[in-house]
Amino acid sequence: MTVATYQVDGMTCGHCVSAVTQEVGKVTGVSGVEVDLANGAVTVTSAAPIDVALIDAAVVEAGYELGGKVELLPQVSGSSCCGSGGCH
């Protein structure tokens, strides 16, 4: 599983969150979408990495601009990380 977070410019209200969530959720391969209005971020969960151009097109369709990719975190089933012991 992959989790990628993108900056979205122009979101100002709950309608913005709904529009971005709906459009990004339509992208093939996306299994989850979380939008953080306060930070202007959208976090996309998928089984494999999604082409940023597809996310960009969905955000534009919703009426906003993609500011860029913030992070990409592969999720490993059964692992846990702690401050002193690292991942295991």
Side-chain angles (χ1 to χ4, degrees):
M1 183 178 297
T2 300
V3 178
T5 301
Y6 304 88
Q7 187 67 39
V8 177
D9 298 330
M11 295 189 303
T12 59
C13 65
H15 171 75
C16 303
V17 170
S18 295
V20 170
T21 300
Q22 182 177 10
E23 291 302 325
V24 173
K26 292 179 185 177
V27 174
T28 301
V30 170
S31 58
V33 179
E34 291 184 35
V35 178
D36 183 338
L37 180 61
N39 293 324
V42 59
T43 300
V44 179
T45 305
S46 57
I50 304 284
D51 185 345
V52 68
L54 297 174
I55 302 300
D56 183 49
V59 169
V60 168
E61 181 66 27
Y64 307 95
E65 290 186 29
L66 194 66
K69 193 171 194 175
V70 178
E71 62 185 77
L72 177 66
L73 302 171
Q75 300 293 311
V76 179
S77 184
S79 71
S80 64
C81 294
C82 60
S84 61
C87 290
H88 47 273

